[in-house]
Amino acid sequence: MLGLLGHLRGHPRAHPSGDRRFAALTAAAVAAVLAALLPAAPAEAGARQQGWTGTWATAQHASYDPGTSEVTARIPVRVSAGGTSVRIRLTNEFTDQPVTIGHATVGRRASGSSVSGPRYLTFGGKRDVTIPAGGQAASDGVRIPVAARGDLVVSLYFPGRLTHVSQHWMGLQTVYWTPDGGGDHAGDADGDAFTKTDSTFPFLTGVDVRGGPARGSVVALGDSITDGAASTSDADRRWPDYLAGRLSSCTTPAGVLNEGISGNRITAGTDGNPSALERLERDVLSQPGARTVILFEGVNDLSWGGATGDQVIDGMKEIARRAHARGLRVIGATVVPYRGWGDWWTEAKEADRQKVNTFVRDGGVFDGYADFDKAVRDPDDPTRYAAAFDSGDHLHPNDTGMKAFADAVDLAGLGVARDCPSARVRLAPYRPDLQVGHPTEITATVTNTGPTEVTRVSSALRLPEGWSAQPERETGLGSLAPGARSAVTWRVTPAAGTAWGAYDIGVRSSYRQAGRVRHDADSVTADVTPVPSPVGPPYSTFATTDDAQYAQNGDQFALWAGGQDLSGWKDEKATIRLPDAVPASGAVSARVVSQTGSGPSAKAGIAVANDLTAPEKGGYAVLTMSKNYGVEFMTDSDGDGRLDTWAGGGASYHPAWLKLVRDGTAYTAYARTDTGAWQQIGTATVPSAATDEDGGALDAGMVAGAVNLNYPGQITTAVFDSFSTTDSFSTTD
C-alpha cells in the first residue's frame, strides 16, 4: 500500500520523483517558511532554542501518493550523539499540497514497533501542525535522555486523506504504518496497531539533541554509497553509521548526519534528486550544529552522468568555497573504483577518476581527505574493488567495505571531536565459512592510528555458546607504536550439533591511552555450512548424477549435485527422499534456505512421484526455485518420466517456502517468503499418479540440480529445513 513503484526499487541509478514537478524554493523562501513555522518561545526551553546539534538526518527528495486515510507512521531512528532533550524536523518540500500532522510523539525504542514511554511533541505549543507545500517545521524540544547510538521512535498521525508522502525512498530501515483507516496510534506504547511496513522515511528529515557532550556534527554528503545501498537493512551498517560509532567513543563526541541520496551527482540533478550543489544549503549548511562536511560524490557524474573530471573538480571547488564561507571544515573523499559495474567503466573515465582523486589528495582546496579509494581498491587491479569489500555489483561496498570507509576517516582531522580512541580492532575474513568439527582461522588486527604509543593491548573473542577458539599466540601486547598494527589468529570451531546458519563472532580489544583504559570492538557474520554426512532413516538418497553428496543435521538437509537439467529431455538431480509419504489427499512442503555455487538456472526444491528413483513409473511433479526463472512448477503430463509442463516465473528469493498439494491426480503448487502469504503458482493434472488401488501414496523429497549444460562441471549446493508431509492441504500453516 505504501510502497514505491517497483521500478524505483534496488536500482543504483534510480531518481524517484513525485507525480508533478515543482520549482525548488530559494534559500530565502525556505528561511521565510521556516521562520514562520518555528516557535519564538518553545514550551520546553523558552529562549534557549539555540544549541541544538543534529544527531540524525536524511535527505528528503521525492513524493508519492499513498492512497490512504487516517493512518499513523512509526519511524525508528538510531541517533549518533546523545543528549537530554530531543526535537524533530519535518519537511513537505517536494509537494504542491499542505500536509497536517495531527499528533506526533517521540520515545525510546523498546523493540520492533513498540516504544518505551512515548512523549507528546508540540509545534509552537500546539499539538498539531500544518506544513505548507514546500515548507518545513521543527517541533518544540522535549526532555528525553537518549544515549549516543541509542534508538528512538518518531510517530506521526495523519488525519483525513493523506494525499502525498514526502520521502527519502531508500531508508534501509523498516518503517511501520497502521492500515488504511487505522487512526491515531502515535501515543501507543505497544506496536500492535502497526501491521503494515515500508522502508522509506516519510516527512522526517532530522532529529536534534542538546544537553549532551557533543559540540557539533559531521555531515556526510553523498550518493547511494553514503545512503547505504547494499549494506544490511535494519542493521545501521552504512559508513556514516560506523563513523558515528567511532566518534561516540571520543570524550567530546560529534553527531553524524547522513545526507546521501541514491543516484546523486555533483554536476547535475533532477526535480526528484537535486544535485549536491543544489541541495548544499538545505542538507549541509543549515544543519543544526554542523561543523564539518565530508564530500563523497563523483562516481555517478563520471560513470553514467557524462561529466568530465574537470567538471567534477569545479563542482567540488564550489562546494568547498560555499562551505568555507559558512565556517565549515570540508573533508574530500576520493572516488571509489567501479570497473565491472555494468558497462560504465572505460579507460578514459578511469583517467578522469584518477584526475579527480589527485585533486582531492593534493589540490589544496580541502581541509583534509579520506582516501576511500585506497581503503577498498584491489591492490592487483586498482580499477576494481577488492573482493573482501565488494557487495557483488562492483560499485557498492558490503558491510565490511562500509566499515573500511569509516576507518579511513581521520577523526582528529574532522575538527569537531576531542580525545578519541587511538586504536581500533578489525576481524577478518569479513564473512567466514565454518564447519562443525573443523577449525577455521579468524584474525583480529589492532591498529594504532593515533600519534602516540598505546600500551597493555589485549583482545578477546566473543563466540556463540559452546564454541571454542585457540589463539596461535598470546593475545596481549605490551605496547603498540603510532601507525603499527598487531594481529592475533584464532582457530575457531563451532560446537557439536550447531545448526547450519549465520552467527555473530565478536572481538573486544582494550588498551591504555594517555593513562586511560580505552576499548574498541568489531564483529563479523560467520556462516556455519554443511559438510557431507550420512542421511538417517526414514530418509534415503538417490541421484542420476555421479557427483551427488548429502548431509543431515537434525531437521536440516543439504544436497550437492551437478547435472545438465531437471526438465524436458533431462532428469539429472540428487534427491533425499521419503518413500510413500504423500497420500491421495495430502501435501509436501519445505523451506529452501539457500542455493549457492552454480549457474543461473540451477534448481532446488521439492518433488513427488510414484517412485522418485524411477520417474517413468508416473506421478512426477517438481516445484523449485532458480535464480533466472524464479519459482518453477513442472509436471509429467503423460507418464513417461519427463517433466513437460511448466508454470511459474517471477523473481528468485531465499529463504523460499515451497508447497505441493495433491488431490488425487491434481497437483497445486504454492510458494511464499518467510513473512508473506502463500501464493498459488499453478495447477496441473498428472493422470499417472498412483490411485488407491495402486497403494495411493507417493514418494516425496528434496531435489537439486545444477543445470550445467552451459556451465560444465558446476555443482550446486542447496540447504533445506522444515521438510514435512501432511494428510491435509491447508495453505494457512
Side-chain angles (χ1 to χ4, degrees), residues 524-572:
V524 295
T525 299
D527 295 309
V528 177
T529 56
V531 293
S533 64
V535 172
Y539 297 96
S540 61
T541 62
F542 175 76
T544 51
T545 62
D546 295 331
D547 43 23
Q549 292 181 294
Y550 312 91
Q552 183 178 3
N553 184 20
D555 294 332
Q556 297 178 301
F557 300 88
L559 296 91
W560 292 262
Q564 294 189 44
D565 207 347
L566 181 53
S567 65
W569 59 284
K570 293 286 186 182
D571 186 52
E572 299 186 2

Side-chain angles (χ1 to χ4, degrees), residues 204-218:
L204 183 67
T205 193
V207 177
D208 307 327
V209 294
R210 68 178 172 196
R215 293 296 177 264
S217 58
V218 177

Side-chain angles (χ1 to χ4, degrees), residues 538 577-584 609-612 662 690 694-701 725:
R577 61 188 280 264
L578 197 59
D580 301 327
V582 181
N610 294 346
D611 183 347
L612 276 176
R662 180 193 180 197
D694 303 320
L698 304 186
D699 285 4
T725 60

